[in-house]
Amino acid sequence: DVKDINIKTTNPRKYAAASFILKMLVKKYLHEDIFGIKLNKMIRNTAIDGGQIVKCLEGYSLELKKTCLQTKLVDPLNFIIDPYADSIQSAPACIERAVLTYDELYSYDWENLDKVKFKKKVDVRRGESIRRQTSFGEVEVYERWGLMPRYWITRNPKDEEIVEGVAIISFSADEYGRRIVVHKVAENNHPKGYRPYELLGFIPVWSRFWPRGVVERLIPMQVYLNEIFNDRVRYGRLSRKGIFVISRYAGVSPEELAHLYTGGALVVNDVNAIQPLPIPEMKVSAYKDEEVALEWSRKLTGLHPVATGEELPSSRPATSAVIQARASASTFDLLRENFGLFLQLLIER
C-alpha cells in the first residue's frame, strides 16, 4: 500500500528532517495521482498477464487542472520493444501507442496540433479489431523513447552523435489517407537519461522481455483439463444414446435408428440383427484426474490451501500443512521482494 512506502537516509543524524519532508512530499504526489488504486491494478494485471508496464511522467492533469506527476498503466499490446531486451532502459528504443481524445491531446504543449484530424473509430489495442466509437473523435499517437541521431533534433546532417531522445508523432486521417504529423522531437531531459517506463514482472524469463504470469504457467494444465472434460462429455453422450451393431442384411439403416429419439418401431428381417454394443463403465481412478491437475497447479504457482485460507481436511497431517505453508511463504516472499524493488526503481528514477 502507499502507506508502506518509506524513505530512509544514509545519515540519520544529519538528514533525518530532510528524509521526513521528502517522504511527505512523495506521499502527497502519490495521493494526488490515486496511486493506491493503480497499485492494486498493477498487482492484478501482473498476476494475469505476467507483467505491467508503468509510465511515470510529469504532465497536465485534466482532473486536478494542474501540472503534476502522472502514473499511467500501459497496455502491453500498445507497447513496442525488442522482445529479447533485458529491460526497457537497456533496449535501443521503445514505442508507446496511445489513443487520445481532443482534451487529452490539447493538454500537451506540442507542435502542429492544428494539423491533427480526429477519427471517430479507432482501434483500442494495436493488432485487434475492437474499435471504440466516439462522438468527437480520437487520434493515434506514437511516442518513441530511445537512442536517435542528434540531427533528428537539430535538423543538421552533420550532427551524427547518438543521444537519448523522444519523438512524438500522430496518424491523422483525411481524404488522402493516413498522414503523419510530427509533434515533438527533443533530447531526453532526465539527468541520467532514464526513460519514463518501468516493467513490473511476475516471474522473469531468460532471453525474453515479457515475464511469465500465472495464466501462462497454467495453460498446459488447462489444456489437460479441457481434454478430460471433453472426454467426459463424449462418454456421457454415448452412454445416453448408445451404440448399436446392425447386421448388413437387417433391412434398416443407421439414419433410421438415429431418428428414434422419443420411441418408434423398426421393421427388420431378424430380431437379433440389431444388438446394443456394451460400453464399459469409467474407472473410479479416472475421476481423480482433476485432483491431480489441481495439485500440479498449486505446486506451479505456490497457492496451497494454507496460503489461500481454505479449510484444510482433518485427515491431512500437520507436517504436510507446515511444508506447504513454508513453500507458499517462500514464493510470496520472492514476489513481494520483486515488487518492492520495482517500486524503489520507479520512485528513484
Side-chain angles (χ1 to χ4, degrees), residues 258-321:
H259 284 83
L260 296 177
Y261 291 109
T262 59
L266 293 174
V267 180
V268 296
N269 298 328
D270 185 5
V271 178
N272 297 324
I274 302 177
Q275 296 292 333
L277 183 66
I279 300 176
E281 294 289 336
M282 187 174 290
K283 296 181 180 180
V284 180
S285 59
Y287 290 95
K288 294 185 178 180
D289 293 337
E290 294 93 335
E291 298 179 5
V292 174
L294 179 60
E295 188 63 27
W296 288 352
S297 302
R298 286 172 174 171
K299 290 181 179 180
L300 279 174
T301 58
L303 297 176
H304 296 284
V306 178
T308 57
E310 300 179 26
E311 185 177 356
L312 300 178
S314 58
S315 59
R316 175 166 297 182
T319 306
S320 177

Side-chain angles (χ1 to χ4, degrees), residues 35-107:
F35 193 75
I37 298 177
K38 296 179 180 179
L39 203 60
N40 296 334
K41 291 182 180 180
M42 292 180 203
I43 299 174
R44 181 179 180 274
N45 295 341
T46 302
I48 297 175
D49 298 333
Q52 176 63 64
I53 300 171
V54 182
K55 180 182 181 181
C56 190
L57 194 65
E58 187 180 21
Y60 184 79
S61 174
L62 295 175
E63 298 178 355
L64 301 177
K65 305 300 181 182
K66 67 175 183 178
T67 302
C68 61
L69 184 67
Q70 291 183 319
T71 304
K72 176 184 176 183
L73 307 186
V74 182
D75 193 298
L77 294 179
N78 288 334
F79 195 79
I80 307 171
I81 195 173
D82 182 7
Y84 300 102
D86 294 331
S87 65
I88 296 178
Q89 307 299 335
S90 63
C94 59
I95 301 175
E96 178 199 354
R97 173 187 179 271
V99 180
L100 302 182
T101 61
Y102 180 89
D103 293 337
E104 291 173 342
L105 180 67
Y106 277 86
S107 65

Side-chain angles (χ1 to χ4, degrees), residues 57-349:
L57 194 65
E58 187 180 21
Y60 184 79
S61 174
L62 295 175
E63 298 178 355
L64 301 177
K65 305 300 181 182
K66 67 175 183 178
T67 302
C68 61
L69 184 67
Q70 291 183 319
T71 304
K72 176 184 176 183
L73 307 186
V74 182
D75 193 298
L77 294 179
N78 288 334
F79 195 79
I80 307 171
I81 195 173
D82 182 7
Y84 300 102
D86 294 331
S87 65
I88 296 178
Q89 307 299 335
S90 63
C94 59
I95 301 175
E96 178 199 354
R97 173 187 179 271
V99 180
L100 302 182
T101 61
Y102 180 89
D103 293 337
E104 291 173 342
L105 180 67
Y106 277 86
S107 65
Y108 295 98
D109 187 17
W110 294 343
E111 300 175 355
N112 302 323
L113 294 179
D114 56 332
K115 298 180 181 180
V116 175
K117 302 294 182 181
F118 292 88
K119 296 187 296 184
K120 292 187 177 181
K121 291 184 179 180
V122 182
D123 294 339
V124 179
R125 296 181 180 88
R126 185 175 59 90
E128 290 188 355
S129 58
I130 302 176
R131 293 192 171 185
R132 179 174 57 193
Q133 184 171 0
T134 60
S135 302
F136 301 99
E138 294 173 322
V139 62
E140 291 180 87
V141 176
Y142 287 84
E143 193 171 342
R144 181 191 183 275
W145 291 80
L147 301 176
M148 62 177 62
R150 186 180 289 276
Y151 66 79
W152 284 16
I153 305 172
T154 61
R155 309 293 177 87
N156 186 359
K158 296 182 180 180
D159 293 338
E160 299 181 354
E161 181 187 0
I162 303 299
V163 296
E164 273 283 344
V166 54
I168 302 175
I169 66 171
S170 66
F171 284 106
S172 298
D174 54 14
E175 61 273 12
Y176 302 104
R178 302 184 74 184
R179 183 179 59 182
I180 297 177
V181 179
V182 180
H183 297 291
K184 180 180 180 180
V185 180
E187 192 171 351
N188 190 347
N189 57 3
H190 193 279
K192 296 184 179 180
Y194 289 131
R195 299 159 191 170
Y197 301 98
E198 289 296 337
L199 173 64
L200 171 61
F202 193 77
I203 296 180
V205 182
W206 183 74
S207 73
R208 191 177 101 172
F209 170 74
W210 195 252
R212 182 178 287 117
V214 175
V215 176
E216 185 179 354
R217 301 184 74 190
L218 295 182
I219 284 179
M221 294 295 101
Q222 186 63 53
V223 173
Y224 176 63
L225 285 176
N226 291 343
E227 183 180 355
I228 293 175
F229 294 148
N230 292 334
D231 291 342
R232 297 268 177 83
V233 171
R234 286 191 288 264
Y235 178 81
R237 186 178 294 114
L238 292 177
S239 300
R240 292 192 301 270
K241 295 184 177 181
I243 301 178
F244 296 88
V245 179
I246 305 175
S247 175
R248 187 183 300 274
Y249 307 101
V252 62
S253 64
E255 289 77 10
E256 294 177 345
L257 188 63
H259 284 83
L260 296 177
Y261 291 109
T262 59
L266 293 174
V267 180
V268 296
N269 298 328
D270 185 5
V271 178
N272 297 324
I274 302 177
Q275 296 292 333
L277 183 66
I279 300 176
E281 294 289 336
M282 187 174 290
K283 296 181 180 180
V284 180
S285 59
Y287 290 95
K288 294 185 178 180
D289 293 337
E290 294 93 335
E291 298 179 5
V292 174
L294 179 60
E295 188 63 27
W296 288 352
S297 302
R298 286 172 174 171
K299 290 181 179 180
L300 279 174
T301 58
L303 297 176
H304 296 284
V306 178
T308 57
E310 300 179 26
E311 185 177 356
L312 300 178
S314 58
S315 59
R316 175 166 297 182
T319 306
S320 177
V322 172
I323 294 175
Q324 291 183 359
R326 290 180 178 177
S328 301
S330 61
T331 303
F332 287 128
D333 286 342
L334 290 175
L335 296 175
R336 192 182 298 110
E337 182 180 358
N338 187 26
F339 195 73
L341 293 175
F342 160 77
L343 289 178
Q344 181 179 353
L345 288 176
L346 187 68
I347 294 177
E348 287 181 353
R349 293 178 176 177

